[in-house]
Amino acid sequence: MWKWPDWCDDHGVANGWYVTRIRGCGVWGYELIVRDSRGRELGRINYLAVGYEHSARDGKRWAYQMALLEVRRSGGAAVAGTKAAGKAKCRKKCKIASGSFPSQSISATKSPYGQFYIDTTINTSRRGQQGSGRGVISWRMTNPRWGSSNSAEVSTSDVRCDTALPGRTRQVGCVNPGYIPEMVYSKTGPYPELAQHIAYAQDEKNLPGKHRTTRYLTRLTDGTKQDRNRNKACPTSRPRPTGKSCDEYPFASTWQGAATGRDGFSWRMIDEGQNRKGGNALNGFFTYNRIIEADRYLVWIKP
């Protein structure tokens, strides 16, 4: 059984998914109730279903596991010998590549589980492709005394696979688009002038993209539109002191930029090296998180 991350246990039974860019986990509460022909309860098993999925930034395959953990039981013989077995299917742009959920006993010391590998069905040989899929694992409880229970199932949140990452358009990768990444700069880090300008733009000019808000920045990959943003915020007519270059916020590579956005913009002359290296760091952030056209993100300025 794959070990799910500790933060999955920290969230407890929430009956929903918590995701990072390439991992997702959730805990659901279930109960199996055994009744006689008159509807009287003979026994029950309370259990948790723990779902865990993880994808790869540089691959077309992702994985999905479901584990069933017994919490308590009552009824003795009515539930003794109960087993669980399941199967998987895919919705939207994916298919089950391999895996199984064989019949296994459930008890305080035995946790049945199923594991499946899932492939995207987008055309990975073409540039600019993307598509989302959801893995679905279903299971039933069985017992020789009473037969089979109703089926239960849990679907993952969307996993998006693409070949649309600028600069790496032939490389497929898969992420959880529901997770909003954050680019982090620090006022005491390697690009302090850049960080100070962004903090000013967010705090004093109320421009979007700030940490802990839902006023997201969205990536713009069209080079012509990026140039329009850059030229409006930092035209060549602005004098550049020696060693300085013009920094714009929101970034030229966003739909919130000076020309493509509607909320205004800020510019400032900052250290040329910090501006260049801070921009390189932003591009690395885009690549690491597979932030493609129109993907949302935030910028967190730390002290």
Side-chain angles (χ1 to χ4, degrees):
M1 186 187 304
W2 302 320
K3 178 68 175 71
W4 49 84
D6 291 339
W7 48 260
C8 186
D9 295 326
D10 294 341
H11 286 298
V13 182
N15 296 319
W17 287 94
Y18 289 91
V19 298
T20 65
R21 200 62 172 171
I22 61 169
R23 294 195 293 177
C25 191
V27 183
W28 289 259
Y30 287 92
E31 61 181 7
L32 167 73
I33 301 176
V34 180
R35 301 182 186 276
D36 65 15
S37 59
R38 296 183 179 181
R40 295 175 298 187
E41 183 175 321
L42 300 178
R44 71 170 60 201
I45 297 176
N46 294 90
Y47 66 97
L48 302 178
V50 182
Y52 175 46
E53 62 89 1
H54 60 90
S55 58
R57 296 180 177 88
D58 57 356
K60 69 175 185 178
R61 178 166 292 180
W62 42 289
Y64 181 21
Q65 171 183 275
M66 183 60 66
L68 310 181
L69 283 61
E70 181 174 315
V71 177
R72 68 181 66 88
R73 67 168 57 197
S74 62
V79 293
T82 298
K83 294 184 177 183
K87 58 185 179 180
K89 62 182 179 181
C90 248
R91 292 177 179 153
K92 301 191 289 186
K93 296 290 186 178
C94 60
K95 64 180 180 180
I96 302 299
S98 63
S100 65
F101 193 156
S103 180
Q104 302 156 77
S105 297
I106 183 170
S107 69
T109 58
K110 296 180 179 179
S111 300
Y113 65 95
Q115 296 174 331
F116 297 89
Y117 289 101
I118 301 170
D119 285 349
T120 181
T121 55
I122 66 170
N123 186 347
T124 58
S125 65
R126 293 185 59 189
R127 298 179 179 182
Q129 303 298 297
Q130 62 174 292
S132 294
R134 292 189 175 204
V136 183
I137 293 180
S138 60
W139 65 92
R140 293 178 184 270
M141 299 292 191
T142 61
N143 190 292
R145 293 179 178 82
W146 40 261
S148 177
S149 71
N150 293 330
S151 177
E153 71 173 37
V154 172
S155 165
T156 66
S157 57
D158 278 349
V159 175
R160 184 195 70 206
C161 300
D162 72 84
T163 58
L165 186 64
R168 298 192 178 188
T169 49
R170 291 188 182 276
Q171 182 189 67
V172 63
C174 303
V175 297
N176 295 318
Y179 176 79
I180 308 299
E182 294 197 54
M183 178 64 194
V184 178
Y185 291 113
S186 171
K187 295 178 183 178
T188 55
Y191 327 113
E193 293 187 20
L194 174 64
Q196 289 162 9
H197 177 217
I198 296 173
Y200 164 80
Q202 292 178 343
D203 296 338
E204 302 301 325
K205 301 195 72 171
N206 196 33
L207 294 177
K210 187 175 181 179
H211 172 59
R212 290 182 177 172
T213 72
T214 55
R215 298 176 63 210
Y216 304 115
L217 299 178
T218 50
R219 189 175 185 188
L220 169 65
T221 58
D222 184 296
T224 300
K225 290 184 173 67
Q226 289 180 8
D227 287 342
R228 285 176 50 209
N229 284 337
R230 194 172 290 111
N231 292 335
K232 182 173 181 178
C234 293
T236 56
S237 58
R238 295 196 195 279
R240 270 72 165 169
T242 301
K244 300 286 187 178
S245 65
C246 185
D247 179 51
E248 76 283 340
Y249 186 87
F251 308 123
S253 57
T254 68
W255 281 99
Q256 292 71 35
T260 55
R262 297 181 296 178
D263 295 328
F265 62 93
S266 177
W267 66 272
R268 179 181 291 185
M269 296 297 168
I270 67 170
D271 180 87
E272 184 176 17
Q274 291 185 31
N275 202 358
R276 182 182 67 257
K277 293 177 182 178
N280 291 340
L282 181 64
N283 286 329
F285 163 79
F286 288 155
T287 299
Y288 183 74
N289 289 283
R290 292 201 74 89
I291 297 177
I292 62 174
E293 173 67 27
D295 270 1
R296 301 174 297 171
Y297 67 98
L298 294 169
V299 182
W300 185 0
I301 303 302
K302 291 188 174 183

